[in-house]
Amino acid sequence: MQTATARRITVHRPFDGSVYGELEATDAPTTRAAIARARRAQARWAEVPVRERSRIIATVASLTLSNADRILDVIQDESGKARLSAFEEVMDTARGLRVFANAAPALLRPARRAGAIPVLTRTVEHHRPVGVVGIITPWNYPFTLPATDAAQALLAGNAVVLKPDSQTPHTALLLAELFAAAGLPEDLFIVLPGAGTELGPVLVAETDYLMFTGSTATGRTLAGACAERLMGFSAELGGKNPLLVLPDADLDAAAIGTARAAFANTGQLCISIERAYVHRSVYNEFIDKLLAATASLRVGVGHSWEFEVGSLSSAKQLATVTDHVQDARALGATVLAGGRARPDLGPYCYEPTVLTGVTAEMEVCREETFGPVLSVYRVDSIDDAVEAANDSRYGLNASIWSAHLGRSVAGRLRTGMVNINDGYAPAFGSHAAPMGGMGESGVGRRHGSQGLLKYTEAQTVAEQRLLPIAPPPGVSNETFAKVLTMGIRVLNRVLP
């Protein structure tokens, strides 16, 4: 990739702090030039039949599977996650891209709509690409988030410029390599490694739509900047996700599932569980089973499949986790499991941690930890559990463990996704359905029809035939009004 500066991005392995690689950082002028190239390429891409676009995206899905080991290595080396967590990314990408490719032709097909006057008006709804889509993605899921967001934007006929996190640029570049190998024309998917403070304003100023995944604070800033331009914006932001264990739950499954939901990806997942509300009738038994499930998790670093919990991504993440746990402990919380760093395993390793006695003045109570820390609360009733779960400015994901009550309780939760008898994977992995948050957890949705159509502008083309919707020559305004009134009355009776 050509850039105009000599500034470098150095990527370190979280496993041991060693240097993984270096590359040039993109600057603002180079970003503007890349967007201009993307805009020229997009004009040609918009004319490519949707089925051909779908074929290319489906090919990327196949290439993802055939290159899985290489992708896993790069994801792990840059993010520090366990191989099993990296595997989730690869499988999510392979399946998601195929689902999107299969759905795109029907979603983008021009659709006849009821016209203003039957027979006389022919009305068709089209979905036109917005143009150039800017995508900003984080380090915690550096492969599947840009892959799935970009795939839906490309299927809709857009070009994509991607700014990956500076910790995981090689993963994004590998993704670009797969798109190229699948036959995607040049300049339709451009990766721009560089500082967000420099590239972000250019993306807002020069692109036609911005998709962002990251913190609520940054998302709020970007949303305001996009609003100034009246451009489209979508974001998946932070979460403080709740889990409910109801009286009729299978406690063995709930304990294992809760540990997985809280500690997968070392807790560095926007939809992972950080709060568990357990009905008092099953609380003691659940706690015992949860601690056993947590103790069984193997923590370690490297490419081996043996570990369920990998490294935190950086010293910054380790500091946040450590501060939250120390603050909670100092203010009276009890550490039932974990609660300490493991530098003997890796510089940023931290044990899966279970807290009880967490109260409102503790940072861990309401602030997103984004690490392997779970707070467990005893509740007296299902109503109390729902009220506590909804007592958050966030609303991204929730989990309910229950044999019979899950569906009825799900509708009472103010979250964009609810998983019953699992933590996060069923909703996130249902690529045909929308994924996103309520409240301060986001704007808009990814996945599903909403995830694709947000990258389009709806256009209505209406053709009037034979007679205008206006008084024809020789007919008075009053007569026209009477006739049209009668016609509307008839239409309202016979047509929905």
Side-chain angles (χ1 to χ4, degrees):
M1 178 174 178
Q2 299 299 313
T3 63
T5 77
R7 293 175 301 172
R8 308 288 293 176
I9 295 174
T10 301
V11 178
H12 296 270
R13 290 183 180 86
F15 290 159
D16 55 14
S18 63
V19 173
Y20 175 69
E22 290 189 343
L23 47 81
E24 292 180 283
T26 310
D27 62 4
T30 306
T31 300
R32 292 189 186 94
I35 294 171
R37 297 199 313 274
R39 194 171 299 285
R40 291 191 293 271
Q42 187 274 327
R44 299 186 294 272
W45 179 243
E47 301 300 320
V48 173
V50 177
R51 290 198 177 277
E52 174 60 14
R53 299 180 210 153
S54 295
R55 186 195 65 77
I56 291 173
I57 297 304
T59 302
V60 179
S62 298
L63 289 172
T64 297
L65 291 173
S66 60
N67 288 274
D69 285 341
R70 180 184 172 203
I71 298 168
L72 291 173
D73 289 348
V74 178
I75 291 173
Q76 284 194 277
D77 283 334
E78 290 200 308
S79 70
K81 64 177 64 181
R83 200 164 187 82
L84 184 62
S85 296
F87 176 75
E88 285 187 0
E89 285 205 63
V90 173
M91 294 303 105
D92 183 77
T93 300
R95 183 57 191 150
L97 266 57
R98 190 57 190 249
V99 170
F100 303 151
N102 290 346
L107 289 174
L108 296 171
R109 185 178 299 125
R112 287 288 297 270
R113 303 300 183 199
I117 299 178
V119 181
L120 301 184
T121 309
R122 180 184 186 274
T123 301
V124 180
E125 176 186 337
H126 299 269
H127 288 278
R128 312 298 191 190
V130 296
V132 178
V133 174
I135 298 178
I136 301 175
T137 53
W139 45 262
N140 63 318
Y141 274 76
F143 189 78
T144 193
L145 291 181
T148 52
D149 287 341
Q152 291 197 293
L154 290 164
L155 285 165
N158 301 285
V160 170
V161 288
L162 168 68
K163 197 217 85 65
D165 191 273
S166 292
Q167 186 174 323
T168 53
H170 295 93
T171 305
L173 291 169
L174 175 54
L175 176 61
E177 182 182 320
L178 297 181
F179 274 119
L184 186 72
E186 190 175 7
D187 290 334
L188 285 174
F189 182 76
I190 301 175
V191 177
L192 303 171
T197 52
E198 183 172 6
L199 273 56
V202 180
L203 293 179
V204 171
E206 302 289 338
T207 64
D208 304 299
Y209 192 101
L210 186 65
M211 174 67 204
F212 171 74
T213 305
S215 72
T216 296
T218 302
R220 197 188 306 277
T221 299
L222 290 171
C226 290
E228 287 293 321
R229 285 196 59 214
L230 299 178
M231 66 182 284
F233 174 76
S234 183
E236 182 205 314
L237 306 175
K240 191 72 177 176
N241 305 302
L243 178 146
L244 286 64
V245 180
L246 305 187
D248 64 338
D250 178 336
L251 296 185
D252 290 318
I256 294 170
T258 300
R260 183 186 305 116
F263 306 129
N265 211 53
T266 323
Q268 299 170 121
L269 172 59
C270 295
I271 54 177
S272 68
I273 297 300
E274 294 197 8
R275 302 178 285 148
Y277 299 99
V278 184
H279 193 276
R280 65 179 307 108
S281 64
V282 296
Y283 180 85
N284 289 335
E285 185 179 358
F286 174 78
I287 284 289
D288 290 342
K289 293 179 182 294
L290 173 63
L291 294 180
T294 301
S296 71
L297 296 174
R298 292 163 295 185
V299 183
V301 301
H303 291 176
S304 170
W305 287 96
E306 68 177 300
F307 305 118
E308 288 84 24
V309 180
S311 172
L312 288 162
S313 66
S314 65
K316 179 182 178 182
Q317 289 304 119
L318 177 61
T320 298
V321 172
T322 301
D323 289 348
H324 277 201
V325 174
Q326 288 181 346
D327 174 73
R329 181 183 274 131
L331 293 174
T334 299
V335 179
L336 297 183
R340 61 179 182 143
R342 291 295 304 274
D344 55 311
L345 301 177
Y348 311 133
C349 285
Y350 199 93
E351 290 182 338
T353 298
V354 177
L355 303 176
T356 59
V358 173
T359 53
E361 69 272 16
M362 301 175 188
E363 285 184 301
V364 76
C365 182
R366 293 186 177 276
E367 298 302 319
E368 185 177 30
T369 303
F370 219 60
V373 180
L374 174 69
S375 301
V376 184
Y377 305 83
R378 188 199 311 258
V379 293
D380 293 329
S381 67
I382 294 175
D383 288 344
D384 288 345
V386 171
E387 181 179 1
N390 287 337
D391 184 19
S392 173
R393 68 181 188 271
Y394 297 112
L396 186 54
N397 180 46
S399 172
I400 301 170
W401 291 83
S402 170
H404 307 291
L405 303 172
R407 294 179 187 176
S408 62
V409 173
R412 301 170 62 187
L413 298 178
R414 294 292 298 166
T415 57
M417 296 181 296
V418 180
N419 294 270
I420 298 174
N421 295 327
D422 207 304
Y424 62 84
F428 184 71
S430 296
H431 298 98
M435 181 266 177
M438 300 181 185
E440 294 190 15
S441 284
V443 178
R445 296 293 184 266
R446 59 162 48 100
H447 297 178
S449 60
Q450 295 181 45
L452 189 148
L453 294 179
K454 73 184 181 186
Y455 297 122
T456 68
E457 295 281 10
Q459 181 187 59
T460 298
V461 177
E463 178 184 357
Q464 191 65 18
R465 297 175 289 193
L466 300 177
L467 294 173
I469 308 178
V475 177
S476 70
N477 292 344
E478 183 177 6
T479 299
F480 170 77
K482 289 179 180 178
V483 172
L484 188 58
T485 299
M486 292 173 58
I488 294 297
R489 284 199 177 102
V490 172
L491 286 175
N492 286 350
R493 289 194 192 103
V494 301
L495 295 178

